[in-house]
Amino acid sequence: MKIMVINGPNINMLGIREPDVYGNENYEGLVELIRNYCESKGLAVDFVQSNHEGVLIDAIQRAYFDKYDGIVFNPAAYTHTSIALLDALKAVKIPCVEVHISDVDKREDFRRHSYIANACIKTIKGLGFAGYLRAIDALMESIGD
Ligand code: DQA
């Protein structure tokens, strides 16, 4: 089983951006945590982080053409704005779990709505970096390994 972990805008700024909300660990630490977890589960994993919506769409399409089994996706602020990302996920029909490091329901009202949730099997929020690992568990349960 092969999964793609996609992170959207400003996730590369973890450790610098709003540590009270997102913690002190950086993006490299997040990648290492997920890589180790996938290794322990015998999963192949690739990572994409971009601040650009079109690059995220290209990554989702590549997941289709390169036959990935699942996607873990934190679209960051594009969660709340992007119909294009929703359409990309609907197009490829690859099982996707939406992750948010913070609890988006307990923040500003505009963070409560997710366009991409409509194309995801599950949404995990407010668990910090561990949310990505729970998303991988959910993917494995849904796809089988
Ligand atoms: C986020 C929540 C979003 O509302 C925000 O725009 C982000 C990160 C999270 O992981 O908690 O950039 O997706």
Side-chain angles (χ1 to χ4, degrees):
M1 188 170 144
K2 175 166 90 161
I3 66 168
M4 188 181 279
V5 178
I6 307 175
N7 279 289
N10 299 306
I11 300 296
N12 59 317
M13 296 295 278
L14 289 173
I16 297 168
R17 72 181 292 208
E18 302 175 84
D20 47 317
V21 177
Y22 299 108
N24 293 304
E25 294 292 322
N26 62 19
Y27 175 69
E28 287 70 29
L30 175 64
V31 167
E32 196 185 331
L33 177 80
I34 298 170
R35 207 188 286 289
N36 289 340
Y37 192 70
C38 287
E39 209 173 288
S40 76
K41 301 278 175 196
L43 296 176
V45 62
D46 287 308
F47 297 89
V48 174
Q49 188 280 322
S50 179
N51 297 324
H52 305 277
E53 191 174 16
V55 175
L56 300 171
I57 294 166
D58 289 344
I60 292 166
Q61 293 182 5
R62 188 163 65 77
Y64 174 81
F65 290 111
D66 292 351
K67 299 188 167 36
Y68 282 78
D69 301 295
I71 296 174
V72 172
F73 193 14
N74 183 350
Y78 288 136
T79 307
H80 319 298
T81 63
S82 181
I83 298 167
L85 287 173
L86 168 65
D87 286 348
L89 290 172
K90 280 181 153 176
V92 301
K93 293 199 192 87
I94 299 171
C96 179
V97 179
E98 174 184 7
V99 178
H100 299 288
I101 296 165
S102 65
D103 187 345
V104 282
D105 290 337
K106 297 203 174 124
R107 299 179 64 193
E108 302 94 325
D109 282 352
F110 60 79
R111 293 187 203 276
R112 289 196 185 162
H113 179 256
S114 164
Y115 280 100
I116 75 142
N118 290 301
C120 291
I121 58 172
K122 193 170 184 172
T123 298
I124 293 170
K125 47 198 158 190
L127 298 183
F129 285 11
Y132 289 83
L133 310 185
R134 296 296 76 80
I136 292 164
D137 293 340
L139 271 184
M140 285 175 73
E141 265 170 42
S142 116
I143 302 163
D145 48 343

